[in-house]
Amino acid sequence: MLTEVTERALALTRARHLLLVGGVACEWRLQEMLQTMCRARGAELCPVDDRYCIDNGAMIAQAGWEMLRAGQVTELSQSGITQRYRTDEVEVTWRD
């Protein structure tokens, strides 16, 4: 399904490069399927190195910014570091 949707996006945008990032980029089978699709469309697949595929730093920073703007602050003594922090598990209190 991801390959099909991506192929449609490439066709619509007429892009010649496909940048694959995030946790999904670690999935070798998906990379294979996207590589096959890109070759068929004359595009180049550009997967990010595995070392950088699990870092969602920008999404984490945005979630933190939205929390701060809403007045949701965590005391330093109550905070911690989670390497594989999932932004979809954050309780959203800054939207209606």
Coordinates of all heavy atoms in Angstrom, one line a residue:
M1 N 0.8 -1.2 0.0 CA 0.0 0.0 0.0 C 0.9 1.3 0.0 O 0.6 2.2 -0.7 CB -0.9 0.0 1.2 CG -1.9 1.1 1.2 SD -3.1 0.8 2.5 CE -3.1 2.4 3.3
L2 N 1.9 1.3 0.8 CA 2.8 2.4 0.9 C 3.5 2.7 -0.5 O 3.6 3.8 -0.9 CB 3.9 2.3 1.9 CG 3.4 2.4 3.4 CD1 4.5 2.1 4.4 CD2 2.8 3.8 3.7
T3 N 3.9 1.6 -1.1 CA 4.5 1.7 -2.4 C 3.5 2.3 -3.5 O 3.9 3.1 -4.3 CB 5.1 0.3 -2.9 OG1 6.0 -0.1 -1.9 CG2 5.8 0.4 -4.2
E4 N 2.3 1.8 -3.4 CA 1.3 2.3 -4.4 C 1.0 3.8 -4.2 O 1.0 4.5 -5.2 CB 0.0 1.5 -4.2 CG -1.0 1.8 -5.2 CD -2.3 1.0 -5.1 OE1 -2.2 -0.2 -4.8 OE2 -3.4 1.6 -5.4
V5 N 0.8 4.2 -3.0 CA 0.6 5.6 -2.7 C 1.8 6.4 -3.1 O 1.6 7.5 -3.6 CB 0.2 5.8 -1.2 CG1 0.2 7.2 -0.8 CG2 -1.1 5.1 -0.9
T6 N 3.0 5.9 -2.8 CA 4.2 6.7 -3.2 C 4.3 6.8 -4.7 O 4.7 7.8 -5.2 CB 5.4 6.0 -2.5 OG1 5.2 5.9 -1.1 CG2 6.7 6.8 -2.9
E7 N 4.0 5.7 -5.4 CA 4.0 5.8 -6.8 C 3.1 6.8 -7.4 O 3.4 7.6 -8.3 CB 3.7 4.4 -7.4 CG 3.8 4.4 -8.9 CD 3.6 3.0 -9.5 OE1 3.0 2.2 -8.9 OE2 4.1 2.8 -10.7
R8 N 1.9 6.9 -6.8 CA 0.9 8.0 -7.2 C 1.5 9.3 -7.0 O 1.4 10.3 -7.8 CB -0.4 7.8 -6.5 CG -1.2 6.6 -7.0 CD -2.5 6.5 -6.2 NE -3.1 5.2 -6.5 CZ -4.2 4.7 -5.9 NH1 -4.7 5.4 -4.9 NH2 -4.7 3.6 -6.2
A9 N 2.1 9.5 -5.8 CA 2.7 10.8 -5.5 C 3.8 11.2 -6.4 O 3.9 12.3 -6.9 CB 3.2 10.8 -4.0
L10 N 4.7 10.2 -6.8 CA 5.7 10.5 -7.8 C 5.1 10.9 -9.1 O 5.6 11.8 -9.8 CB 6.6 9.3 -7.9 CG 7.7 9.0 -6.8 CD1 8.4 7.7 -7.1 CD2 8.6 10.2 -6.7
A11 N 4.1 10.2 -9.5 CA 3.5 10.5 -10.8 C 2.9 11.9 -10.8 O 3.0 12.6 -11.8 CB 2.4 9.4 -11.1
L12 N 2.2 12.2 -9.7 CA 1.6 13.5 -9.6 C 2.6 14.7 -9.6 O 2.4 15.7 -10.2 CB 0.7 13.6 -8.3 CG 0.0 14.9 -8.1 CD1 -1.1 15.1 -9.1 CD2 -0.7 14.9 -6.7
T13 N 3.7 14.5 -8.9 CA 4.7 15.5 -8.7 C 5.7 15.5 -9.8 O 6.5 16.4 -9.9 CB 5.4 15.4 -7.3 OG1 6.0 14.2 -7.2 CG2 4.4 15.6 -6.2
R14 N 5.8 14.4 -10.5 CA 6.8 14.2 -11.5 C 8.2 14.2 -10.9 O 9.2 14.6 -11.6 CB 6.7 15.2 -12.7 CG 5.4 15.0 -13.4 CD 5.3 15.9 -14.7 NE 4.1 15.7 -15.4 CZ 3.2 16.6 -15.6 NH1 3.4 17.9 -15.1 NH2 2.1 16.4 -16.2
A15 N 8.3 13.8 -9.7 CA 9.6 13.8 -9.0 C 10.5 12.8 -9.6 O 10.1 11.7 -10.0 CB 9.4 13.6 -7.5
R16 N 11.8 13.0 -9.5 CA 12.8 12.1 -10.0 C 13.6 11.5 -8.9 O 14.4 10.6 -9.1 CB 13.7 12.8 -11.0 CG 13.1 13.2 -12.3 CD 12.9 11.9 -13.1 NE 11.8 12.0 -14.1 CZ 10.8 11.1 -14.2 NH1 10.7 10.2 -13.3 NH2 9.9 11.3 -15.1
H17 N 13.3 11.9 -7.7 CA 14.0 11.3 -6.5 C 13.0 11.0 -5.4 O 12.1 11.8 -5.2 CB 15.1 12.3 -6.0 CG 16.2 12.6 -6.9 ND1 16.1 13.6 -7.9 CD2 17.4 11.9 -7.1 CE1 17.2 13.6 -8.6 NE2 18.0 12.6 -8.1
L18 N 13.2 10.0 -4.7 CA 12.4 9.6 -3.6 C 13.2 9.5 -2.4 O 14.1 8.6 -2.3 CB 11.6 8.3 -3.8 CG 10.8 7.7 -2.7 CD1 9.7 8.7 -2.2 CD2 10.2 6.4 -3.0
L19 N 13.1 10.4 -1.4 CA 13.8 10.3 -0.2 C 13.0 9.5 0.9 O 11.9 9.9 1.2 CB 14.1 11.8 0.3 CG 14.9 11.9 1.6 CD1 16.3 11.3 1.5 CD2 15.0 13.4 2.0
L20 N 13.6 8.5 1.4 CA 13.0 7.6 2.4 C 13.6 7.8 3.7 O 14.8 7.6 3.9 CB 13.1 6.1 1.9 CG 12.4 5.1 2.7 CD1 10.9 5.4 2.7 CD2 12.7 3.7 2.2
V21 N 12.9 8.3 4.7 CA 13.4 8.7 6.0 C 12.5 8.1 7.1 O 11.5 7.6 6.9 CB 13.5 10.2 6.2 CG1 14.4 10.8 5.1 CG2 12.1 10.9 6.1
G22 N 13.0 8.3 8.3 CA 12.2 7.9 9.5 C 12.3 6.4 9.8 O 13.1 5.7 9.1
G23 N 11.5 5.9 10.7 CA 11.6 4.5 11.1 C 11.2 3.6 9.9 O 11.8 2.5 9.8
V24 N 10.3 4.0 9.1 CA 9.9 3.2 7.9 C 11.1 2.9 7.0 O 11.1 1.9 6.3 CB 8.7 3.8 7.2 CG1 9.1 5.1 6.5 CG2 8.1 2.9 6.3
A25 N 12.1 3.8 7.0 CA 13.2 3.6 6.1 C 14.1 2.4 6.5 O 14.9 1.9 5.8 CB 14.1 4.9 6.1
C26 N 13.9 1.9 7.8 CA 14.7 0.8 8.2 C 14.1 -0.5 7.7 O 14.8 -1.6 7.8 CB 14.6 0.7 9.8 SG 15.5 2.1 10.6
E27 N 12.9 -0.5 7.1 CA 12.3 -1.7 6.6 C 12.9 -2.1 5.2 O 12.6 -1.5 4.2 CB 10.8 -1.5 6.5 CG 10.0 -2.6 6.0 CD 10.2 -3.9 6.8 OE1 10.1 -3.9 8.0 OE2 10.5 -4.9 6.1
W28 N 13.7 -3.1 5.2 CA 14.4 -3.5 4.0 C 13.4 -4.0 2.9 O 13.6 -3.7 1.7 CB 15.4 -4.6 4.3 CG 16.6 -4.1 5.0 CD1 16.8 -4.2 6.4 CD2 17.6 -3.2 4.5 NE1 18.0 -3.5 6.7 CE2 18.4 -2.9 5.6 CE3 17.9 -2.7 3.3 CZ2 19.6 -2.0 5.5 CZ3 19.0 -1.8 3.1 CH2 19.8 -1.5 4.2
R29 N 12.4 -4.6 3.3 CA 11.4 -5.1 2.2 C 10.7 -3.9 1.6 O 10.6 -3.9 0.3 CB 10.4 -6.0 2.8 CG 9.3 -6.5 1.9 CD 10.0 -7.4 0.7 NE 8.9 -7.7 -0.2 CZ 9.0 -7.5 -1.5 NH1 10.1 -7.0 -2.1 NH2 8.0 -7.9 -2.3
L30 N 10.4 -2.9 2.3 CA 9.8 -1.7 1.7 C 10.8 -1.0 0.8 O 10.5 -0.6 -0.3 CB 9.3 -0.7 2.8 CG 8.7 0.6 2.3 CD1 7.5 0.3 1.5 CD2 8.4 1.5 3.5
Q31 N 12.1 -1.0 1.2 CA 13.1 -0.4 0.4 C 13.2 -1.1 -1.0 O 13.3 -0.5 -2.0 CB 14.4 -0.4 1.1 CG 14.6 0.7 2.1 CD 16.0 0.8 2.6 OE1 17.0 0.5 1.9 NE2 16.2 1.2 3.8
E32 N 13.1 -2.5 -0.9 CA 13.2 -3.3 -2.1 C 12.0 -2.9 -3.1 O 12.2 -2.8 -4.3 CB 13.2 -4.8 -1.8 CG 14.4 -5.3 -1.2 CD 14.3 -6.7 -0.7 OE1 13.2 -7.3 -0.8 OE2 15.3 -7.3 -0.3
M33 N 10.8 -2.9 -2.5 CA 9.6 -2.6 -3.3 C 9.7 -1.2 -3.9 O 9.3 -1.0 -5.1 CB 8.3 -2.8 -2.5 CG 8.1 -4.3 -2.1 SD 6.6 -4.6 -1.3 CE 6.4 -3.4 -0.1
L34 N 10.1 -0.2 -3.1 CA 10.2 1.1 -3.6 C 11.3 1.2 -4.7 O 11.2 2.0 -5.6 CB 10.5 2.1 -2.4 CG 9.3 2.3 -1.5 CD1 9.7 3.2 -0.3 CD2 8.1 3.0 -2.2
Q35 N 12.4 0.5 -4.5 CA 13.5 0.5 -5.5 C 13.0 0.0 -6.8 O 13.2 0.6 -7.9 CB 14.6 -0.4 -5.0 CG 15.8 -0.4 -5.9 CD 16.5 1.0 -6.0 OE1 16.0 1.9 -6.5 NE2 17.7 1.0 -5.4
T36 N 12.2 -1.1 -6.8 CA 11.6 -1.7 -8.0 C 10.7 -0.7 -8.7 O 10.7 -0.4 -9.9 CB 10.8 -3.0 -7.7 OG1 11.8 -3.9 -7.1 CG2 10.2 -3.6 -8.9
M37 N 9.8 0.0 -7.9 CA 8.9 1.0 -8.4 C 9.7 2.2 -9.0 O 9.3 2.6 -10.1 CB 8.0 1.4 -7.3 CG 6.9 2.4 -7.7 SD 7.4 4.2 -7.6 CE 7.7 4.3 -5.8
C38 N 10.7 2.6 -8.3 CA 11.5 3.8 -8.8 C 12.1 3.5 -10.1 O 12.1 4.3 -11.0 CB 12.5 4.2 -7.7 SG 11.8 5.2 -6.4
R39 N 12.7 2.3 -10.2 CA 13.4 1.9 -11.5 C 12.4 1.9 -12.6 O 12.7 2.4 -13.7 CB 14.0 0.5 -11.3 CG 15.3 0.5 -10.6 CD 16.0 -0.8 -10.7 NE 17.2 -0.8 -9.8 CZ 17.4 -1.7 -8.8 NH1 16.5 -2.7 -8.7 NH2 18.4 -1.6 -8.1
A40 N 11.2 1.4 -12.4 CA 10.2 1.3 -13.4 C 9.7 2.7 -13.8 O 9.3 2.9 -15.0 CB 9.0 0.5 -12.9
R41 N 9.8 3.7 -12.9 CA 9.3 5.1 -13.2 C 10.5 6.0 -13.6 O 10.3 7.2 -13.9 CB 8.7 5.7 -12.0 CG 7.4 5.0 -11.6 CD 6.5 5.8 -10.7 NE 6.1 7.0 -11.4 CZ 5.1 7.1 -12.3 NH1 4.5 6.1 -12.7 NH2 4.8 8.3 -12.8
G42 N 11.7 5.5 -13.6 CA 12.9 6.3 -14.0 C 13.3 7.2 -12.9 O 13.8 8.3 -13.1
A43 N 12.9 6.9 -11.6 CA 13.3 7.7 -10.5 C 14.4 7.0 -9.7 O 14.7 5.9 -9.9 CB 12.0 7.9 -9.6
E44 N 15.0 7.8 -8.8 CA 16.0 7.3 -7.9 C 15.6 7.2 -6.5 O 15.1 8.2 -5.9 CB 17.3 8.2 -8.0 CG 18.4 7.7 -7.2 CD 19.6 8.6 -7.2 OE1 19.6 9.6 -8.0 OE2 20.6 8.4 -6.5
L45 N 15.7 6.1 -5.8 CA 15.4 5.9 -4.4 C 16.6 6.4 -3.6 O 17.7 5.9 -3.9 CB 15.0 4.5 -4.1 CG 14.8 4.2 -2.6 CD1 13.5 5.0 -2.1 CD2 14.6 2.7 -2.4
C46 N 16.4 7.2 -2.6 CA 17.5 7.7 -1.8 C 17.1 7.5 -0.3 O 16.7 8.3 0.4 CB 17.6 9.2 -2.0 SG 17.9 9.7 -3.7
P47 N 17.4 6.2 0.1 CA 17.1 5.9 1.6 C 18.2 6.5 2.5 O 19.4 6.6 2.1 CB 17.1 4.4 1.6 CG 18.0 4.0 0.5 CD 17.9 5.1 -0.6
V48 N 17.8 7.0 3.6 CA 18.7 7.6 4.6 C 19.4 6.4 5.3 O 18.8 5.4 5.5 CB 17.9 8.5 5.6 CG1 18.8 8.9 6.7 CG2 17.3 9.7 4.9
D49 N 20.7 6.7 5.6 CA 21.4 5.7 6.4 C 20.7 5.2 7.6 O 20.1 6.1 8.3 CB 22.8 6.3 6.8 CG 23.7 5.3 7.4 OD1 23.5 4.9 8.5 OD2 24.8 5.0 6.8
D50 N 20.7 3.9 7.9 CA 20.0 3.4 9.1 C 20.3 4.1 10.4 O 19.4 4.1 11.3 CB 20.3 1.9 9.2 CG 19.6 1.0 8.2 OD1 18.8 1.5 7.5 OD2 19.9 -0.2 8.2
R51 N 21.5 4.6 10.5 CA 21.8 5.3 11.8 C 20.9 6.5 12.1 O 20.8 6.9 13.2 CB 23.3 5.8 11.8 CG 24.3 4.6 11.7 CD 25.7 5.2 11.5 NE 25.8 5.8 10.2 CZ 26.8 6.5 9.8 NH1 27.8 6.7 10.6 NH2 26.8 7.0 8.6
Y52 N 20.3 7.0 11.0 CA 19.5 8.2 11.2 C 18.0 8.0 11.0 O 17.2 8.9 11.0 CB 20.0 9.3 10.2 CG 21.4 9.5 10.2 CD1 22.3 9.1 9.2 CD2 22.0 10.1 11.4 CE1 23.6 9.3 9.3 CE2 23.4 10.3 11.4 CZ 24.2 9.9 10.4 OH 25.5 10.1 10.5
C53 N 17.6 6.7 10.9 CA 16.2 6.4 10.6 C 15.3 6.4 11.8 O 14.1 6.5 11.6 CB 16.2 5.1 9.9 SG 16.8 5.1 8.2
I54 N 15.8 6.4 13.0 CA 14.9 6.3 14.1 C 14.8 7.7 14.9 O 14.0 7.8 15.8 CB 15.3 5.2 15.1 CG1 16.7 5.5 15.6 CG2 15.2 3.9 14.5 CD1 17.0 4.6 16.8
D55 N 15.5 8.7 14.4 CA 15.5 10.0 15.1 C 14.3 10.8 14.6 O 14.3 11.2 13.5 CB 16.8 10.7 14.9 CG 16.9 12.0 15.6 OD1 16.0 12.2 16.5 OD2 17.7 12.8 15.3
N56 N 13.4 11.1 15.4 CA 12.3 12.0 15.1 C 12.4 13.3 15.8 O 11.4 13.8 16.3 CB 10.9 11.3 15.5 CG 10.6 10.1 14.6 OD1 10.9 10.1 13.5 ND2 10.1 9.0 15.2
G57 N 13.6 13.8 15.8 CA 13.9 15.0 16.6 C 13.0 16.2 16.3 O 12.6 16.9 17.2
A58 N 12.8 16.4 15.0 CA 12.0 17.6 14.6 C 10.5 17.4 15.1 O 9.9 18.4 15.6 CB 12.0 17.8 13.1
M59 N 10.0 16.2 15.0 CA 8.6 16.0 15.5 C 8.6 16.1 17.1 O 7.6 16.7 17.6 CB 8.1 14.6 15.1 CG 7.8 14.5 13.6 SD 7.1 13.0 13.1 CE 8.4 11.9 13.3
I60 N 9.6 15.6 17.7 CA 9.6 15.7 19.2 C 9.7 17.2 19.6 O 9.0 17.7 20.5 CB 10.8 14.9 19.7 CG1 10.6 13.4 19.5 CG2 11.0 15.2 21.2 CD1 11.8 12.6 19.7
A61 N 10.6 18.0 18.9 CA 10.7 19.4 19.2 C 9.4 20.1 19.0 O 9.0 21.0 19.8 CB 11.8 20.0 18.4
Q62 N 8.7 19.8 17.9 CA 7.4 20.5 17.6 C 6.4 20.2 18.7 O 5.7 21.0 19.2 CB 6.9 20.1 16.3 CG 5.6 20.8 15.9 CD 5.8 22.3 15.7 OE1 6.8 22.7 15.2 NE2 4.8 23.0 16.1
A63 N 6.3 18.9 19.1 CA 5.4 18.5 20.2 C 5.8 19.3 21.5 O 4.9 19.8 22.2 CB 5.5 17.0 20.4
G64 N 7.0 19.4 21.8 CA 7.5 20.2 23.0 C 7.1 21.6 22.9 O 6.6 22.2 23.9
W65 N 7.2 22.2 21.7 CA 6.9 23.6 21.5 C 5.4 23.8 21.7 O 5.0 24.8 22.4 CB 7.3 24.0 20.1 CG 6.8 25.4 19.7 CD1 5.9 25.7 18.7 CD2 7.1 26.7 20.3 NE1 5.6 27.0 18.7 CE2 6.4 27.6 19.6 CE3 8.0 27.0 21.3 CZ2 6.5 29.0 19.9 CZ3 8.0 28.4 21.7 CH2 7.3 29.3 21.0
E66 N 4.6 22.9 21.2 CA 3.1 23.1 21.3 C 2.7 22.9 22.8 O 1.8 23.6 23.3 CB 2.4 22.0 20.4 CG 2.6 22.2 19.0 CD 2.1 23.5 18.4 OE1 1.2 24.2 19.1 OE2 2.5 23.9 17.3
M67 N 3.4 22.0 23.5 CA 3.1 21.8 24.9 C 3.4 23.0 25.7 O 2.7 23.5 26.5 CB 3.8 20.6 25.4 CG 3.4 19.3 24.8 SD 4.5 17.9 25.1 CE 4.0 17.3 26.7
L68 N 4.6 23.6 25.4 CA 5.0 24.8 26.1 C 4.1 26.0 25.8 O 3.7 26.7 26.8 CB 6.5 25.2 25.7 CG 7.0 26.5 26.3 CD1 7.2 26.3 27.8 CD2 8.4 26.8 25.7
R69 N 3.7 26.2 24.6 CA 2.7 27.3 24.2 C 1.4 27.1 25.0 O 0.8 28.1 25.3 CB 2.5 27.3 22.7 CG 3.6 27.8 21.9 CD 3.2 28.0 20.5 NE 2.0 27.4 20.0 CZ 1.4 27.8 18.9 NH1 1.8 28.7 18.2 NH2 0.3 27.1 18.6
A70 N 1.0 25.9 25.3 CA -0.2 25.6 26.0 C -0.1 25.7 27.5 O -1.0 25.4 28.2 CB -0.8 24.3 25.6
G71 N 1.2 26.0 27.9 CA 1.4 26.0 29.4 C 1.7 24.7 30.0 O 1.7 24.6 31.2
Q72 N 1.8 23.7 29.2 CA 2.1 22.3 29.8 C 3.6 22.2 30.0 O 4.3 22.1 29.0 CB 1.6 21.3 28.9 CG 1.7 19.9 29.4 CD 1.1 18.8 28.5 OE1 0.3 19.2 27.6 NE2 1.4 17.6 28.8
V73 N 4.1 22.3 31.2 CA 5.5 22.2 31.5 C 5.8 21.0 32.4 O 5.0 20.8 33.3 CB 5.9 23.6 32.2 CG1 7.4 23.5 32.5 CG2 5.6 24.7 31.3
T74 N 6.8 20.4 32.1 CA 7.3 19.2 33.0 C 8.5 19.7 33.7 O 9.5 20.2 33.1 CB 7.6 18.0 32.1 OG1 6.5 17.7 31.3 CG2 8.1 16.8 32.9
E75 N 8.5 19.5 35.0 CA 9.6 19.9 35.9 C 10.8 19.0 35.5 O 10.6 17.8 35.1 CB 9.3 19.7 37.3 CG 8.3 20.6 37.9 CD 8.7 22.0 37.8 OE1 9.9 22.3 38.0 OE2 7.9 22.9 37.6
L76 N 12.0 19.6 35.5 CA 13.2 18.8 35.1 C 13.3 17.5 35.9 O 13.7 16.5 35.3 CB 14.4 19.7 35.2 CG 15.7 19.1 34.7 CD1 15.6 18.8 33.2 CD2 16.9 20.1 35.0
S77 N 13.0 17.6 37.1 CA 13.2 16.4 38.0 C 12.2 15.3 37.6 O 12.4 14.1 37.9 CB 12.9 16.7 39.5 OG 11.6 17.2 39.6
Q78 N 11.1 15.6 36.9 CA 10.1 14.7 36.4 C 10.3 14.2 35.0 O 9.6 13.4 34.4 CB 8.7 15.3 36.6 CG 8.3 15.6 38.0 CD 8.3 14.4 38.9 OE1 7.7 13.4 38.5 NE2 8.9 14.5 40.0
S79 N 11.3 14.8 34.3 CA 11.5 14.5 32.9 C 12.6 13.4 32.8 O 13.3 13.1 33.7 CB 11.9 15.7 32.1 OG 13.2 16.2 32.6
G80 N 12.6 12.8 31.6 CA 13.6 11.8 31.3 C 13.8 11.7 29.8 O 13.2 12.4 29.0
I81 N 14.7 10.8 29.4 CA 15.0 10.7 28.0 C 14.6 9.3 27.6 O 14.9 8.3 28.2 CB 16.6 10.8 27.8 CG1 17.0 12.2 28.2 CG2 16.9 10.5 26.4 CD1 18.5 12.4 28.2
T82 N 13.9 9.3 26.5 CA 13.5 8.0 25.9 C 13.9 8.0 24.4 O 13.5 8.8 23.6 CB 11.9 7.8 25.9 OG1 11.5 8.0 27.3 CG2 11.5 6.5 25.3
Q83 N 14.9 7.2 24.1 CA 15.5 7.2 22.7 C 14.4 7.0 21.7 O 14.4 7.6 20.6 CB 16.6 6.2 22.6 CG 17.2 6.2 21.2 CD 18.3 5.1 21.1 OE1 18.5 4.3 22.0 NE2 19.0 5.1 20.0
R84 N 13.5 6.1 21.9 CA 12.5 5.7 20.9 C 11.2 6.4 21.3 O 10.1 5.7 21.2 CB 12.4 4.2 20.7 CG 13.7 3.7 20.2 CD 13.6 2.2 19.9 NE 14.8 1.6 19.5 CZ 15.3 1.6 18.3 NH1 14.6 2.0 17.3 NH2 16.5 1.0 18.0
Y85 N 11.2 7.6 21.6 CA 10.0 8.4 22.0 C 9.0 8.4 20.8 O 9.4 8.6 19.7 CB 10.5 9.8 22.3 CG 9.4 10.8 22.7 CD1 8.9 10.8 24.0 CD2 8.9 11.7 21.7 CE1 7.9 11.7 24.3 CE2 7.9 12.6 22.1 CZ 7.4 12.6 23.4 OH 6.5 13.5 23.7
R86 N 7.8 8.1 21.1 CA 6.8 8.1 20.0 C 5.8 9.3 20.2 O 5.1 9.4 21.2 CB 6.0 6.8 20.1 CG 6.8 5.6 19.8 CD 6.0 4.3 19.8 NE 4.8 4.5 18.9 CZ 4.7 4.0 17.7 NH1 5.7 3.3 17.2 NH2 3.6 4.2 17.0
T87 N 5.8 10.1 19.2 CA 5.0 11.3 19.3 C 3.5 11.0 19.2 O 2.7 11.8 19.6 CB 5.3 12.3 18.1 OG1 5.2 11.6 16.9 CG2 6.8 12.9 18.3
D88 N 3.2 9.8 18.7 CA 1.8 9.4 18.6 C 1.2 9.0 20.0 O 0.1 8.7 20.1 CB 1.5 8.4 17.6 CG 2.2 7.1 17.8 OD1 3.2 7.1 18.6 OD2 1.9 6.1 17.2
E89 N 2.1 8.9 21.0 CA 1.7 8.5 22.3 C 1.6 9.7 23.3 O 1.3 9.5 24.5 CB 2.6 7.5 22.9 CG 2.6 6.1 22.1 CD 3.6 5.1 22.7 OE1 4.4 5.4 23.6 OE2 3.5 4.0 22.2
V90 N 1.8 10.9 22.8 CA 1.7 12.1 23.6 C 0.3 12.5 23.8 O -0.5 12.5 22.9 CB 2.5 13.3 22.9 CG1 2.2 14.6 23.7 CG2 3.9 13.0 22.7
E91 N -0.1 12.8 25.1 CA -1.4 13.3 25.3 C -1.6 14.7 24.8 O -0.8 15.6 25.3 CB -1.7 13.2 26.8 CG -3.1 13.7 27.2 CD -3.4 13.6 28.6 OE1 -2.6 13.2 29.4 OE2 -4.5 14.1 29.0
V92 N -2.4 14.9 23.9 CA -2.6 16.2 23.2 C -3.5 17.0 24.1 O -4.7 16.8 24.1 CB -3.1 16.1 21.8 CG1 -3.3 17.5 21.2 CG2 -2.1 15.3 21.0
T93 N -3.0 18.1 24.8 CA -3.8 18.9 25.6 C -3.8 20.3 25.1 O -4.5 21.2 25.7 CB -3.2 19.0 27.0 OG1 -1.8 19.5 27.0 CG2 -3.2 17.6 27.7
W94 N -3.2 20.6 24.0 CA -3.1 22.0 23.5 C -4.1 22.2 22.3 O -4.0 23.3 21.7 CB -1.7 22.3 23.0 CG -1.1 21.4 22.0 CD1 -1.3 21.4 20.6 CD2 -0.3 20.2 22.2 NE1 -0.6 20.4 20.0 CE2 0.0 19.6 21.0 CE3 0.2 19.6 23.4 CZ2 0.7 18.5 20.9 CZ3 0.9 18.5 23.2 CH2 1.2 17.9 22.0
R95 N -5.0 21.3 22.0 CA -6.0 21.5 20.9 C -7.3 21.2 21.5 O -7.5 20.4 22.4 CB -5.7 20.5 19.8 CG -4.6 20.9 18.9 CD -4.5 20.1 17.7 NE -4.6 18.6 17.9 CZ -4.7 17.7 17.0 NH1 -4.7 18.0 15.8 NH2 -4.7 16.4 17.3
D96 N -8.3 21.7 20.9 CA -9.7 21.4 21.3 C -10.1 20.1 20.6 O -9.8 19.7 19.6 CB -10.7 22.5 20.8 CG -10.4 23.8 21.5 OD1 -9.9 23.7 22.7 OD2 -10.7 24.9 20.9

